[in-house]
Amino acid sequence: MIFNKIESAPREEIEKIQLKRLKETITRVYHLSPFYKNKFDEIGITPDDIKTLQDIQKLPFTKKQDLRDNYPFGLFTAPMSEIVRIHSSSGTTGKPTVVGYTQHDMNVWNEVMMRVYTMGNVTSKDVIHNAYGYGLFTGGLGFHEAAQKLGATIVPASGGFTQRQLMLMRDFGATVLCSTPTFALHLAEIARKEGPEFRKDYKLRVGFFGAEPTSEGLRREVANAWQIEYIEVYGLSEIIGPGVSASCNKGIGLHINEDHFYPEIIDPKTGEVLPEGEEGELVLTTLTKQALPIIRYRTGDITKIHKEPCACGRTFVRMESVKGRVDDMLIINGVNVYPSQIEHVIANYDDVTLNYQIVADKKGYLDKLEIIIEINENTSYTEQNLNKIKKDLSQKFLNNLYINAQIEIVKPNTIERSMGKARRIIDKRK
Ligand code: DLL
């Protein structure tokens, strides 16, 4: 099932719409945002200079710091009387990032989220258990309103209270689960305590997972644990929230809602646009936003984009699952490694679980990497077993990722569980 015709339109038609909307957006920010007007004036660009989609490369990037510097509403291009919703990032360092939506923006958000739900064939017959956090985070409410618009039954469970969530999922007959992948795994871990046949009490058939980088191994583990279809959802509050892209499961990757968000891949070091298929940082430009249009936003997310047609019939380009964030990449004695690559190795080893933590530190002049992993409940915690697991895993990290890692195996339930986005890395060198 495909929600909108435009998702499978010929490329020329999509690009025509993109160019028209790009010109409108550039004109909007030039006239309504002193921030962008100054930036464009500095490099001598006016809206008339944008004649083709490639001309976007003439425009400057927008960074997270720009939103912080203009806290709270400095980048809005709609009057407050037209703003109907505010969201914000957690802001653990410095000022939070604040985003706003007009009713038109809310309609866009709901439309892209209905497209996402349609990737998993969600209809009014479904009961959606939404365990994304409700509040300033875009996860909870982003999945909420579109579900109602589809006529489905939405259960606004929010995060935490694992046992109670499981009870509600069973008693209300949830057919759809929306949560971070790590929380879905945690739910399964607790549900499994009811016995190996626990799944017969649940009606889940599909899940919509996102908000954090994951490895292929973790995605497989979540799908297997619940025996459901895994739809991956990507998005960020600065651009809209969840719904920038989602996977159709007919081919590799997540279709980007290109009629609303224009994607580019750049070299994070030089800012140069990379050819199709090359790995780099995803940059997004909003094409239809009113309250907070953003030009060439540096997401910090590392991925690749593919343009070839997809078996599902959609013609929107696909991005691969995010490999990691530019700022999460660890450099261990000169070797670059993303946490999702470490996770992939762990996921493919039977005697350990996906509850792990990565600690980077210094030992003299050298970097030291420690990976703490929980043993599988069915593997006995004997010295002989521990030594074997440590040796095997060290060898795998060395062979696959070229890193020397010290492995520590801990007992089940030792590492703190995450109710939202998982925090896997402790970098003591920073
Ligand atoms: O995490 C929006 C969202 C909610 C997406 C629910 C999907 C599901 P922020 O809190 O602004 O928004 O965080 C955005 O989270 O730049 C990525 O680094 C990461 N992220 C989001 N989705 C994915 C994903 C929401 N599918 C940041 N895979 C982004 C990997 C993801 N990383």
Side-chain angles (χ1 to χ4, degrees):
M1 249 185 351
I2 296 181
F3 187 74
N4 285 138
K5 253 191 173 156
I6 185 70
E7 292 174 79
S8 53
R11 290 291 320 158
E12 311 81 69
E13 190 181 327
I14 296 169
E15 287 173 15
K16 210 169 134 197
I17 292 175
Q18 285 181 318
L19 181 60
K20 179 175 169 286
R21 292 180 171 177
L22 177 66
K23 286 180 178 177
E24 286 165 2
T25 301
I26 301 302
T27 307
R28 183 178 183 91
V29 298
Y30 189 73
H31 292 292
L32 296 176
S33 162
F35 168 80
Y36 280 115
K37 170 89 172 52
N38 286 342
K39 275 192 138 192
F40 290 5
D41 284 350
E42 263 170 32
I43 49 170
I45 292 269
T46 71
D48 290 340
D49 293 316
I50 305 303
K51 295 194 172 66
T52 66
L53 282 173
Q54 281 65 41
D55 286 337
I56 198 171
Q57 295 179 24
K58 296 178 182 165
L59 300 172
F61 294 116
T62 309
K63 296 191 174 142
K64 201 178 189 82
Q65 192 57 40
D66 295 322
L67 280 109
R68 292 206 174 113
D69 292 345
N70 290 281
Y71 173 89
F73 308 138
L75 293 188
F76 286 13
T77 60
M80 283 312 281
S81 57
E82 285 178 23
I83 305 290
V84 298
R85 175 83 69 78
I86 299 276
H87 279 283
S88 156
S89 74
S90 55
T92 37
T93 51
K95 291 266 201 254
T97 320
V98 179
V99 297
Y101 304 75
T102 62
Q103 188 52 56
H104 161 89
D105 298 334
M106 290 304 304
N107 297 345
V108 169
W109 196 8
N110 287 330
E111 179 185 55
V112 292
M113 282 307 294
M114 284 193 278
R115 291 179 189 174
V116 169
Y117 276 130
T118 306
M119 301 251 180
N121 294 322
V122 173
T123 67
S124 59
K125 296 203 179 84
D126 281 296
V127 176
I128 304 176
H129 186 91
N130 186 8
Y132 284 111
Y134 277 66
L136 288 169
F137 173 51
T138 51
L141 287 165
F143 277 86
H144 185 96
E145 237 183 90
Q148 273 182 204
K149 290 230 179 286
L150 279 179
T153 309
I154 180 101
V155 182
S158 201
F161 307 107
T162 315
Q163 288 286 3
R164 200 181 58 180
Q165 298 231 13
L166 289 167
M167 181 184 82
L168 300 181
M169 282 162 66
R170 277 193 309 262
D171 295 350
F172 298 173
T175 51
V176 180
L177 172 63
C178 301
S179 76
T180 57
T182 39
F183 190 59
L185 207 55
H186 179 52
L187 282 167
E189 186 183 30
I190 303 294
R192 208 174 270 126
K193 296 208 164 106
E194 293 155 19
E197 299 292 307
F198 75 93
R199 277 190 227 99
K200 70 181 182 340
D201 299 327
Y202 297 85
K203 291 198 180 129
L204 285 188
R205 64 172 183 82
V206 60
F208 293 84
F209 304 109
E212 59 189 4
T214 46
S215 64
E216 192 195 316
L218 179 69
R219 293 192 288 276
R220 198 178 52 221
E221 191 114 347
V222 170
N224 281 345
W226 283 109
Q227 293 285 303
I228 56 175
E229 186 185 5
Y230 187 114
I231 305 271
E232 183 173 359
V233 186
Y234 169 83
L236 58 165
S237 48
E238 295 87 331
I239 296 300
I240 201 144
V244 169
S245 64
S247 60
C248 63
N249 287 353
K250 292 285 189 311
I252 290 171
L254 294 78
H255 289 281
I256 300 181
N257 282 303
E258 277 186 276
D259 53 336
H260 295 294
F261 318 111
Y262 184 80
E264 298 168 271
I265 296 288
I266 62 158
D267 178 329
K269 286 203 187 82
T270 62
E272 182 200 343
V273 175
L274 297 175
E276 185 196 333
E278 279 197 26
E279 182 177 285
E281 179 179 351
L282 178 67
V283 167
L284 291 166
T285 299
T286 65
L287 296 176
T288 48
K289 288 264 295 293
Q290 288 184 339
L292 183 60
I294 294 218
I295 310 300
R296 304 193 86 200
Y297 187 70
R298 296 199 51 165
T299 64
D301 296 320
I302 299 292
T303 182
K304 290 181 193 167
I305 289 185
H306 301 285
K307 287 196 174 150
E308 67 265 25
C310 180
C312 76
R314 288 177 185 81
T315 44
F316 281 171
V317 296
R318 285 172 283 163
M319 57 183 264
E320 289 188 7
S321 292
V322 170
K323 189 172 176 188
R325 292 193 49 80
V326 176
D327 37 17
D328 274 354
M329 187 181 77
L330 292 162
I331 305 180
I332 304 297
N333 297 318
V335 179
N336 299 352
V337 57
Y338 285 100
S340 63
Q341 294 175 299
I342 294 180
E343 186 178 281
H344 192 66
V345 172
I346 299 173
N348 284 310
Y349 193 81
D350 281 346
D351 287 328
V352 293
T353 70
L354 277 164
N355 297 304
Y356 67 94
Q357 224 161 31
I358 302 167
V359 185
D361 205 350
K362 278 265 177 218
K363 194 174 179 189
Y365 291 111
L366 290 179
D367 294 315
K368 190 180 109 193
L369 188 72
E370 188 186 20
I371 306 173
I372 306 162
I373 319 169
E374 275 181 19
I375 198 166
N376 206 319
E377 275 193 338
N378 304 324
T379 308
S380 56
Y381 198 77
T382 58
E383 203 175 322
Q384 195 188 4
N385 269 347
L386 295 186
N387 286 339
K388 178 176 182 307
I389 298 170
K390 284 187 200 174
K391 201 169 149 219
D392 285 354
L393 280 172
S394 305
Q395 200 60 49
K396 284 184 192 296
F397 284 119
L398 195 60
N399 292 348
N400 298 335
L401 306 176
Y402 313 110
I403 49 170
N404 260 311
Q406 189 190 322
I407 313 292
E408 197 190 329
I409 304 297
V410 293
K411 289 188 173 156
N413 296 311
T414 318
I415 295 170
E416 203 188 331
R417 301 296 188 261
S418 141
M419 299 296 156
K421 298 188 189 225
R423 266 180 205 277
R424 306 283 203 192
I425 314 158
I426 303 168
D427 196 338
K428 296 185 175 168
R429 301 168 303 176
K430 283 187 176 161

